[in-house]
PDB file of all heavy atoms in Angstrom:
ATOM      1  N   THR B 329      52.038 -31.995  14.871  1.00  0.00           N
ATOM      2  CA  THR B 329      52.244 -32.100  13.430  1.00  0.00           C
ATOM      3  C   THR B 329      53.645 -32.552  13.054  1.00  0.00           C
ATOM      4  O   THR B 329      53.886 -32.931  11.914  1.00  0.00           O
ATOM      5  CB  THR B 329      51.969 -30.759  12.748  1.00  0.00           C
ATOM      6  OG1 THR B 329      52.722 -29.752  13.433  1.00  0.00           O
ATOM      7  CG2 THR B 329      50.508 -30.413  12.783  1.00  0.00           C
ATOM      8  N   GLY B 330      54.537 -32.501  13.977  1.00  0.00           N
ATOM      9  CA  GLY B 330      55.890 -32.930  13.669  1.00  0.00           C
ATOM     10  C   GLY B 330      56.783 -31.823  13.155  1.00  0.00           C
ATOM     11  O   GLY B 330      57.932 -32.046  12.826  1.00  0.00           O
ATOM     12  N   VAL B 331      56.236 -30.587  13.020  1.00  0.00           N
ATOM     13  CA  VAL B 331      57.105 -29.458  12.673  1.00  0.00           C
ATOM     14  C   VAL B 331      57.104 -28.483  13.844  1.00  0.00           C
ATOM     15  O   VAL B 331      56.108 -28.313  14.535  1.00  0.00           O
ATOM     16  CB  VAL B 331      56.664 -28.744  11.380  1.00  0.00           C
ATOM     17  CG1 VAL B 331      56.894 -29.624  10.173  1.00  0.00           C
ATOM     18  CG2 VAL B 331      55.215 -28.304  11.459  1.00  0.00           C
ATOM     19  N   GLY B 332      58.222 -27.850  14.062  1.00  0.00           N
ATOM     20  CA  GLY B 332      58.322 -26.935  15.189  1.00  0.00           C
ATOM     21  C   GLY B 332      58.620 -25.526  14.716  1.00  0.00           C
ATOM     22  O   GLY B 332      59.060 -25.302  13.574  1.00  0.00           O
ATOM     23  N   ILE B 333      58.348 -24.566  15.572  1.00  0.00           N
ATOM     24  CA  ILE B 333      58.592 -23.167  15.213  1.00  0.00           C
ATOM     25  C   ILE B 333      60.083 -22.944  14.968  1.00  0.00           C
ATOM     26  O   ILE B 333      60.922 -23.446  15.713  1.00  0.00           O
ATOM     27  CB  ILE B 333      58.045 -22.237  16.318  1.00  0.00           C
ATOM     28  CG1 ILE B 333      56.517 -22.332  16.315  1.00  0.00           C
ATOM     29  CG2 ILE B 333      58.508 -20.801  16.133  1.00  0.00           C
ATOM     30  CD1 ILE B 333      55.862 -21.666  17.480  1.00  0.00           C
ATOM     31  N   GLY B 334      60.387 -22.208  13.905  1.00  0.00           N
ATOM     32  CA  GLY B 334      61.774 -21.940  13.557  1.00  0.00           C
ATOM     33  C   GLY B 334      62.387 -22.985  12.652  1.00  0.00           C
ATOM     34  O   GLY B 334      63.456 -22.790  12.091  1.00  0.00           O
ATOM     35  N   GLN B 335      61.683 -24.096  12.485  1.00  0.00           N
ATOM     36  CA  GLN B 335      62.217 -25.205  11.694  1.00  0.00           C
ATOM     37  C   GLN B 335      62.240 -24.861  10.206  1.00  0.00           C
ATOM     38  O   GLN B 335      61.345 -24.190   9.704  1.00  0.00           O
ATOM     39  CB  GLN B 335      61.341 -26.443  11.932  1.00  0.00           C
ATOM     40  CG  GLN B 335      61.944 -27.729  11.402  1.00  0.00           C
ATOM     41  CD  GLN B 335      61.010 -28.912  11.694  1.00  0.00           C
ATOM     42  OE1 GLN B 335      60.223 -28.873  12.633  1.00  0.00           O
ATOM     43  NE2 GLN B 335      61.137 -29.951  10.890  1.00  0.00           N
ATOM     44  N   ARG B 336      63.239 -25.336   9.479  1.00  0.00           N
ATOM     45  CA  ARG B 336      63.323 -25.175   8.024  1.00  0.00           C
ATOM     46  C   ARG B 336      62.572 -26.335   7.390  1.00  0.00           C
ATOM     47  O   ARG B 336      62.826 -27.490   7.707  1.00  0.00           O
ATOM     48  CB  ARG B 336      64.787 -25.194   7.563  1.00  0.00           C
ATOM     49  CG  ARG B 336      65.638 -24.095   8.174  1.00  0.00           C
ATOM     50  CD  ARG B 336      65.641 -22.816   7.352  1.00  0.00           C
ATOM     51  NE  ARG B 336      66.155 -23.048   6.007  1.00  0.00           N
ATOM     52  CZ  ARG B 336      65.819 -22.293   4.955  1.00  0.00           C
ATOM     53  NH1 ARG B 336      64.962 -21.308   5.103  1.00  0.00           N
ATOM     54  NH2 ARG B 336      66.343 -22.533   3.776  1.00  0.00           N
ATOM     55  N   VAL B 337      61.620 -26.018   6.540  1.00  0.00           N
ATOM     56  CA  VAL B 337      60.847 -27.081   5.887  1.00  0.00           C
ATOM     57  C   VAL B 337      60.770 -26.809   4.394  1.00  0.00           C
ATOM     58  O   VAL B 337      61.217 -25.771   3.921  1.00  0.00           O
ATOM     59  CB  VAL B 337      59.405 -27.169   6.448  1.00  0.00           C
ATOM     60  CG1 VAL B 337      59.394 -27.610   7.899  1.00  0.00           C
ATOM     61  CG2 VAL B 337      58.689 -25.824   6.273  1.00  0.00           C
ATOM     62  N   GLY B 338      60.167 -27.761   3.663  1.00  0.00           N
ATOM     63  CA  GLY B 338      59.927 -27.553   2.237  1.00  0.00           C
ATOM     64  C   GLY B 338      58.429 -27.493   1.989  1.00  0.00           C
ATOM     65  O   GLY B 338      57.638 -28.044   2.744  1.00  0.00           O
ATOM     66  N   LEU B 339      58.027 -26.758   0.926  1.00  0.00           N
ATOM     67  CA  LEU B 339      56.613 -26.688   0.580  1.00  0.00           C
ATOM     68  C   LEU B 339      56.404 -27.256  -0.809  1.00  0.00           C
ATOM     69  O   LEU B 339      57.141 -26.915  -1.741  1.00  0.00           O
ATOM     70  CB  LEU B 339      56.129 -25.235   0.604  1.00  0.00           C
ATOM     71  CG  LEU B 339      56.277 -24.477   1.917  1.00  0.00           C
ATOM     72  CD1 LEU B 339      55.731 -23.057   1.748  1.00  0.00           C
ATOM     73  CD2 LEU B 339      55.558 -25.199   3.047  1.00  0.00           C
ATOM     74  N   VAL B 340      55.383 -28.120  -0.923  1.00  0.00           N
ATOM     75  CA  VAL B 340      55.045 -28.653  -2.246  1.00  0.00           C
ATOM     76  C   VAL B 340      53.595 -28.273  -2.545  1.00  0.00           C
ATOM     77  O   VAL B 340      52.706 -28.521  -1.738  1.00  0.00           O
ATOM     78  CB  VAL B 340      55.227 -30.186  -2.287  1.00  0.00           C
ATOM     79  CG1 VAL B 340      54.740 -30.733  -3.622  1.00  0.00           C
ATOM     80  CG2 VAL B 340      56.691 -30.545  -2.044  1.00  0.00           C
TER      81      VAL B 340
END
Side-chain angles (χ1 to χ4, degrees):
Chain B
T329 51
V331 291
I333 292 170
Q335 192 179 334
R336 300 270 300 154
V337 294
L339 301 181
V340 174

